[in-house]
Amino acid sequence: MNSKVTKNIFYEELQEAGQFKQLEQRLLGESNLPGPRANLGAASTFADAFASDWVSDDAWNLLMEWSGKPESAAPTDDPREFLPFCALQAMGSYYRYAEPSRQQIILERCQAAMNDSRWRMREAAAMALQRIGEQDFSALRSLFDGMKDAAGPLEQRAFVAALAHPPMLKDSANVLYALELSEEILDEIAAGQTRYGTEDFRILSKGLEYALSVFVERAPEHGFRMLAKFAVTDDKRMQKIVKSNLGKARLAKKFSQDVERIQLMMNA
């Protein structure tokens, strides 16, 4: 079944409240779970169906029900986990068209999922935020600015993962914001405000190890200045973050001289 036909089926079933159970069974069957890779195509198609100013109360209630499923009801790597995974992304699609009270709920659900114990739900949070940011970057920025002072490592990881989304980085102002927020996070790490050795820090570090290169590629002058700032630290964890980004092909191939300069600084 091609994607266009699948999308049409999703639309039909979403607009018929009596077919929501059938839709649920379809998603469960197409989830590819248990397994290493969920069906991202099916999730995206489902989410796309909510990019509309016509979403019935029944359809909204379905998203509320699914996105609120706790781990006990939708365990990791279980087909049932696919329902909240899809629903959260659909909320991201719907954000632009939703009334303010629903927009607030969508942001609250995304924030909660940033700290979810299930890694797929944390990914769903970042993907939902990317959908919001593509439509309204100011909403994304407002959310992050309101959270950042008290944000924990998992929330910080969600910030950088969401921002490392090329369609949102066509605007230079968005890139500079991503770099500024990343630098604030790195400053906290360098100052010892983030607890090393925890699983939450490992997850944050993994995110920073790739996301920074996405930002630096699009604003090399500011980006390499930031990497240079943290390259000279004696903190091995910080050096790992910088080194990993320098090793990404998007920087190593396009900006070989800048990469070599910072590598020399690290080895000095």
Side-chain angles (χ1 to χ4, degrees):
M1 184 180 296
N2 65 47
S3 59
K4 184 175 181 180
V5 173
T6 302
K7 185 171 184 177
N8 288 338
I9 290 173
F10 277 134
Y11 269 116
E12 289 177 12
E13 294 182 347
L14 283 170
Q15 294 180 29
E16 294 292 336
Q19 294 186 7
F20 283 162
K21 191 63 181 179
Q22 181 182 345
L23 173 60
E24 178 179 333
Q25 292 304 314
R26 182 187 301 276
L27 287 174
L28 291 173
E30 294 183 349
S31 69
N32 289 350
L33 299 177
R37 293 181 180 275
N39 189 338
L40 300 183
S44 180
T45 299
F46 177 80
D48 288 345
F50 283 85
S52 169
D53 56 6
W54 190 93
V55 170
S56 69
D57 289 342
D58 286 334
W60 169 252
N61 290 334
L62 182 77
L63 295 188
M64 289 289 288
E65 176 190 349
W66 286 3
S67 65
K69 286 182 178 292
E71 186 171 9
S72 59
T76 298
D77 210 29
D78 184 287
R80 291 172 292 171
E81 184 188 24
F82 198 55
L83 299 180
F85 179 79
C86 291
L88 197 63
Q89 293 177 64
M91 282 184 158
S93 292
Y94 179 49
Y95 180 87
R96 174 184 177 184
Y97 306 94
E99 60 188 49
S101 61
R102 287 185 176 180
Q103 287 183 335
Q104 183 60 36
I105 291 171
I106 291 169
L107 294 179
E108 289 171 355
R109 289 290 167 99
C110 287
Q111 185 173 352
M114 292 179 190
N115 294 290
D116 200 288
S117 58
R118 295 163 292 184
W119 70 267
R120 280 196 182 91
M121 288 308 297
R122 297 196 298 270
E123 290 302 316
M127 295 163 82
L129 291 167
Q130 288 170 350
R131 287 176 176 266
I132 293 171
E134 282 190 61
Q135 303 165 5
D136 185 357
F137 191 83
S138 64
L140 200 67
R141 180 169 183 162
S142 179
L143 175 66
F144 293 170
D145 285 347
M147 292 179 60
K148 65 182 183 180
D149 289 344
L154 292 181
E155 292 166 333
Q156 292 174 330
R157 185 268 174 188
F159 297 168
V160 296
L163 290 169
H165 184 52
M168 292 194 305
L169 300 177
K170 295 175 183 178
D171 187 323
S172 59
N174 296 352
V175 180
L176 294 179
Y177 175 74
L179 284 169
E180 289 167 4
L181 185 57
S182 298
E183 186 168 357
E184 290 178 22
I185 293 171
L186 292 170
D187 280 332
E188 283 190 23
I189 296 173
Q193 297 177 28
T194 303
R195 290 178 57 194
Y196 292 136
T198 65
E199 178 65 8
D200 288 0
F201 177 78
R202 186 192 69 79
I203 293 169
L204 169 59
S205 181
K206 283 290 185 182
L208 290 168
E209 285 171 26
Y210 83 89
L212 300 184
S213 65
V214 178
F215 310 144
V216 173
E217 179 188 17
R218 286 158 178 80
E221 182 179 352
H222 289 82
F224 280 110
R225 186 184 306 135
M226 180 189 70
L227 291 181
K229 171 183 173 181
F230 296 102
V232 295
T233 178
D234 292 330
D235 190 321
K236 292 182 179 180
R237 299 170 185 86
M238 188 67 71
Q239 289 184 342
K240 181 180 179 183
I241 292 171
V242 174
K243 183 177 180 180
S244 177
N245 282 282
L246 293 176
K248 295 294 184 287
R250 63 177 63 93
L251 298 188
K253 290 183 178 181
K254 293 176 64 176
F255 307 100
S256 58
Q257 290 184 338
D258 292 293
V259 167
E260 183 179 1
R261 173 174 57 85
I262 296 177
Q263 287 174 333
L264 289 173
M265 292 170 62
M266 295 180 71
N267 294 330

